[in-house]
């Protein structure tokens, strides 16, 4: 059974493991150490919500973060939009974790008054593009090796 809750500092190691497992599977390099996870996902001052999916043994199986895009964000996301990141352990693919994480994120976005959520996905990541498309995101821009999808929250 998977439980979902807000990420806490002690989750950084498990979140790092998830990112490293994804790197091992895909070969796509990215920051993945524990300090990065703590700084970027758990203690990020632009954070709206970071949710972890934890199995019965207490292992982090996936996580999703939602931050508010600032004026100089790395992906050119319009300022004030939400910016989402989803990471699920390859060992947990196909179990609905991503969909359930998004239920938590969407509720947090609505509560925070976020009207658009951007997902910036590598053009070489068809799995990520498919995930976001399946939960209602639509492509709004392609540039610099990235596909950006937007989810518009109905008012």
């Amino acid at each position: 059974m998977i439980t979902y809750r807000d990420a806490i500092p002690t989750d950084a190691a498990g979140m790092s493991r998830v990112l490293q497992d994804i790197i091992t599977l895909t070969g796509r390099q990215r920051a993945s150490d524990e300090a990065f996870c703590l700084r970027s996902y758990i203690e990020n001052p632009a954070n709206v919500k970071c949710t972890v999916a934890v199995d019965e043994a207490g292992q982090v199986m996936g996580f999703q973060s939602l931050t508010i895009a600032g004026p100089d964000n790395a992906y050119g996301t319009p300022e004030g939009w939400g910016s989402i990141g989803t990471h699920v352990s390859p060992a947990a693919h196909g179990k609905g974790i991503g969909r359930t994480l998004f239920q938590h994120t969407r509720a947090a976005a609505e509560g925070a008054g976020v009207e658009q959520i951007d997902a910036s996905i590598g053009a070489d990541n068809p799995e990520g593009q498919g995930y976001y498309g399946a939960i209602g995101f639509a492509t709004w821009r392609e540039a610099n090796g990235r596909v950006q999808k937007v989810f518009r929250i109905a008012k």
Side-chain angles (χ1 to χ4, degrees):
M1 182 171 134
I2 301 291
T3 58
Y4 299 85
R5 60 172 172 72
D6 289 347
I8 56 175
T10 55
D11 291 323
M15 294 164 71
S16 173
R17 183 190 46 77
V18 168
L19 291 176
Q20 291 168 13
D21 289 349
I22 293 168
I23 290 166
T24 298
L25 177 69
T26 66
R28 293 184 200 101
Q29 293 300 312
R30 59 171 296 130
S32 61
D33 61 84
E34 190 173 333
F36 170 80
C37 290
L38 185 64
R39 180 179 65 252
S40 299
Y41 300 117
I42 299 170
E43 296 180 347
N44 186 333
N47 199 26
V48 174
K49 184 163 187 78
C50 183
T51 305
V52 291
V54 181
D55 70 9
E56 308 85 20
Q59 293 272 4
V60 175
M61 299 307 293
F63 64 97
Q64 189 169 75
S65 68
L66 179 67
T67 58
I68 298 296
D72 298 318
N73 68 80
Y75 303 116
T77 302
E79 186 175 2
W81 281 26
S83 183
I84 194 172
T86 306
H87 311 281
V88 176
S89 170
H93 284 178
K95 297 183 179 185
I97 290 173
R99 285 184 178 276
T100 304
L101 285 168
F102 187 61
Q103 292 172 2
H104 292 266
T105 298
R106 182 177 178 170
E110 290 171 353
V114 174
E115 295 179 8
Q116 278 106 202
I117 302 172
D118 173 76
S120 182
I121 310 134
D124 64 343
N125 184 353
E127 299 86 0
Q129 293 174 45
Y131 161 73
Y132 284 108
I135 61 171
F137 283 68
T139 300
W140 71 276
R141 176 167 69 180
E142 295 183 40
N144 303 317
R146 305 213 56 85
V147 175
Q148 287 183 265
K149 294 185 176 284
V150 64
F151 184 89
R152 300 185 195 284
I153 296 176
K155 291 183 179 183

